[in-house]
Amino acid sequence: MIEIKNLTKSFNNNLVWEDVTFRIDDGDTIAVIGRSGCGKSVLLKHINALLYPDSGEVLIDGENIHALDYVSQRKLRQKFGILFQGSALFDSINTFENVAFPLRYFTKLSESEISDKVMQALTYVNLEGAAKKETSELSGGMRKRVGLARAIILEPKYIMYDEPTSGLDPKTADEINELITAMAERLNITSIVITHDMHSVLQVADKVAFLDEKKLSWFGTLQEMKNSEHPRLVDFITASEYQIKSNQYT
Amino acid sequence: MYALKELGKYTTLLYQALRSSTEFGTYRKNLFHELVKVGYDSVPIIILVGIFTGSVMTLQSAYQLEFAFIPLSTIGAIVSESILIELAAVISGLVLAGKVGARVATELGTMRVSEQIDALESMGFNSVSFLVVPRVLAGILMFPVLYIVASVFGIGGGLAAGYFSGSVPPADFLKGARMFFYPWNVVFGFLKSFVFGFIITTVACYKGYYAKGGAEGVGRATTEATVMGCIYILLADFILAALLL
């Protein structure tokens, strides 16, 4: 379980958000939504201590990650897999080696065991044929999927997705959303999805956190969001292209 | 104030690198990769720099001493001593500030702005130990080796230039080189190259590791790493000469 308590962050006296408090239960998929620049990715980087808050705390299974020493913090980070916005693949090595990377350093698996695990992860994300490709040869959607395969290779308890569908065509975005749902169900992973894509939210989320006006403006289940009359939340949802073009939301 | 802040961040990075060097065993295969990139890959440019530096020194010394009534062996002494005590280390250092410093700053800067360093940290890697320590170690281990290469080819180039131009016969050149050879000068050159290797790699790692702002930020980091590397080399050269000679 992840508990975010009274988290406040500012950069150079510019407040990002303050007093953010919510809880992510094991097995849940939470979507953190909000306008561009509202601090969604900043929140994600606080959850595994890539950034430090001005005040407040983040408890991962009861441990305050920001209060731990660096070695313990890094051990705790191994509970997480992250799919970064730009995938953050290592461009000096190929697809197979990118996925194998954490296994080579954090496990004592033999070469054949590593190969089996990597191919299994690539099969999960429907990329079994791309193992030998250089990362520069991959399309945006393929890069996201390789990033996802790398994120799940150490079988993390939590997985965080930073704008998983940004920059992708609707069909590929759908495939990524299906993968997120499949990962959560098949591997029983707790997921945190940072996005402003309402289509994605409706497909993957159990609960929704809405960051707005420099605070956590709204938090609830997906069904509660659909019924919410919170004016800024409704405004945000109805502004999405998805709402205009289809009636799935209503 | 800005300079103090920069110095503080640089020192902190060095402290983190020192502290995390205990974990270096986990990432030791990175060191071999860096030794090749810093050392082996730099050999051709260092040979070229050495040969031309020695050749030009010989030709210019011969030109300047043409009408002086001093033995030709003096040219061999001037060239070899200048190369051993100063030029092999400093000119190689300046060239490597461009080649090695720029590469390191660009690599780390690109990794920073494309979130690859965040990805490493988020997987549980110690990014300083993984990225900075091997590069700095490769610098301080390989620069003295490159100093030897530069010295050998510098003196060899000087000797060849003297022979082919007809200004200094090889026997006179070698006689002068041997006559004024002091082992301390080689030790001093070694020490300088060791310090320059440390300066170039740590400055480049620092600039790259803390790069921000996309492609422009990486470009700025690379430029600063190269320029600051050169300035610090000249400064360190002066300080070492003042202290040790």
Side-chain angles (χ1 to χ4, degrees):
Chain A
M1 184 171 68
I2 299 173
E3 292 171 273
I4 295 163
K5 291 184 175 175
N6 309 107
L7 216 59
T8 297
K9 178 67 179 178
S10 53
F11 289 114
N12 301 322
N13 295 325
N14 290 320
L15 183 68
V16 181
W17 26 248
E18 62 184 336
D19 208 22
V20 172
T21 301
F22 66 96
R23 197 181 71 196
I24 303 166
D25 292 319
D26 288 347
D28 274 356
T29 297
I30 298 259
V32 180
I33 62 172
R35 298 183 63 172
S36 298
C38 72
K40 301 187 293 293
S41 298
V42 172
L43 180 63
L44 179 141
K45 287 182 178 179
H46 277 77
I47 292 176
N48 77 340
L50 289 174
L51 289 173
Y52 278 70
D54 299 340
S55 61
E57 56 188 23
V58 177
L59 304 179
I60 312 294
D61 298 329
E63 286 189 277
N64 180 356
I65 190 166
H66 296 102
L68 295 175
D69 64 71
Y70 186 51
V71 175
S72 313
Q73 203 174 62
R74 279 167 40 217
K75 279 203 178 119
L76 197 55
R77 277 179 183 158
Q78 288 179 10
K79 288 186 176 183
F80 288 89
I82 300 189
L83 175 61
F84 285 90
Q85 199 166 351
S87 304
L89 299 181
F90 303 123
D91 40 26
S92 56
I93 50 179
N94 68 15
T95 299
F96 180 94
E97 288 301 325
N98 260 284
V99 182
F101 194 81
L103 294 175
R104 294 202 187 285
Y105 287 96
F106 295 128
T107 69
K108 295 189 189 308
L109 296 177
S110 68
E111 199 53 43
S112 66
E113 288 169 323
I114 288 175
S115 181
D116 289 347
K117 279 192 80 97
V118 171
M119 291 317 293
Q120 188 186 28
L122 286 172
T123 306
Y124 269 156
V125 297
N126 306 319
L127 270 184
E128 55 272 40
K132 296 294 171 203
K133 281 188 187 253
E134 296 299 323
T135 54
S136 56
E137 297 174 63
L138 302 175
S139 67
M142 289 165 91
R143 292 178 71 85
K144 296 267 188 192
R145 282 188 278 166
V146 175
L148 186 51
R150 189 179 67 184
I152 61 168
I153 197 74
L154 288 176
E155 298 169 9
K157 185 176 178 187
Y158 305 103
I159 186 158
M160 301 199 280
Y161 302 87
D162 190 3
E163 307 278 9
T165 57
S166 71
L168 300 179
D169 66 85
K171 183 72 188 153
T172 311
D174 264 356
E175 287 171 9
I176 297 291
N177 289 332
E178 282 163 18
L179 273 175
I180 293 171
T181 311
M183 290 300 145
E185 286 170 3
R186 202 185 304 178
L187 305 174
N188 195 29
I189 293 177
T190 306
S191 308
I192 301 144
V193 184
I194 302 289
T195 186
H196 48 61
D197 175 3
M198 288 311 298
H199 183 68
S200 186
V201 174
L202 292 168
Q203 260 186 288
V204 305
D206 299 318
K207 291 178 182 163
V208 178
F210 177 50
L211 286 178
D212 188 45
E213 295 184 307
K214 302 183 188 297
K215 62 180 192 292
L216 178 66
S217 191
W218 189 90
F219 183 83
T221 65
L222 187 66
Q223 194 55 46
E224 286 168 347
M225 183 193 80
K226 290 177 179 177
N227 300 327
S228 172
E229 292 178 0
H230 185 291
R232 291 185 68 92
L233 178 61
V234 171
D235 186 41
F236 180 81
I237 295 165
T238 52
S240 77
E241 195 181 355
Y242 177 75
Q243 167 62 17
I244 295 164
K245 289 188 176 170
S246 83
N247 58 2
Q248 186 177 334
Y249 167 66
T250 50
Chain B
M1 196 62 195
Y2 174 76
L4 274 179
K5 198 176 161 189
E6 289 281 296
L7 184 65
K9 276 172 77 178
Y10 173 75
T11 314
T12 305
L13 184 70
L14 290 188
Y15 171 70
Q16 284 176 343
L18 194 67
R19 197 183 58 173
S20 62
S21 57
T22 51
E23 295 180 51
F24 177 69
T26 318
Y27 313 129
R28 64 185 174 277
K29 65 181 170 191
N30 285 10
L31 176 63
F32 298 110
H33 178 69
E34 284 303 317
L35 287 174
V36 170
K37 279 189 162 179
V38 172
Y40 182 78
D41 289 355
S42 300
V43 168
I45 186 78
I46 290 301
I47 289 176
L48 205 65
V49 167
I51 289 174
F52 279 98
T53 306
S55 304
V56 170
M57 271 224 69
T58 299
L59 296 179
Q60 290 186 351
S61 302
Y63 168 74
Q64 288 177 305
L65 300 174
E66 194 176 3
F67 301 109
F69 295 102
I70 56 172
L72 288 174
S73 59
T74 309
I75 295 171
I78 290 170
V79 172
S80 57
E81 285 308 285
S82 302
I83 284 172
L84 287 175
I85 205 168
E86 176 72 8
L87 296 175
V90 175
I91 294 189
S92 301
L94 294 174
V95 169
L96 293 173
K99 186 186 177 296
V100 175
R103 177 186 67 80
V104 169
T106 307
E107 270 180 7
L108 297 195
T110 306
M111 289 186 78
R112 169 62 74 192
V113 301
S114 61
E115 295 184 307
Q116 291 177 47
I117 293 180
D118 281 347
L120 279 173
E121 286 285 338
S122 70
M123 284 181 221
F125 282 85
N126 180 337
S127 64
V128 173
S129 181
F130 190 80
L131 297 171
V132 175
V133 175
R135 284 167 171 82
V136 175
L137 274 179
I140 59 181
L141 289 173
M142 291 316 292
F143 272 48
V145 176
L146 293 171
Y147 162 76
I148 295 173
V149 174
S151 299
V152 167
F153 281 89
I155 294 171
L159 185 134
Y163 172 70
F164 287 115
S165 68
S167 53
V168 191
D172 286 333
F173 188 96
L174 290 173
K175 185 181 164 195
R178 283 199 203 99
M179 198 182 298
F180 291 94
F181 176 75
Y182 297 108
W184 167 248
N185 292 346
V186 178
V187 175
F188 183 61
F190 252 123
L191 190 65
K192 282 211 286 197
S193 58
F194 179 85
V195 172
F196 296 166
F198 176 80
I199 288 172
I200 289 169
T201 48
T202 53
V203 170
C205 283
Y206 166 67
K207 290 292 178 187
Y209 192 83
Y210 290 114
K212 53 185 172 187
E216 192 187 344
V218 176
R220 191 168 47 245
T222 305
T223 306
E224 286 177 3
T226 311
V227 173
M228 297 314 286
C230 289
I231 292 171
Y232 293 144
I233 282 173
L234 297 173
L235 197 64
D237 189 34
F238 172 77
I239 293 169
L240 288 171
L243 289 176
L244 299 175
L245 291 182

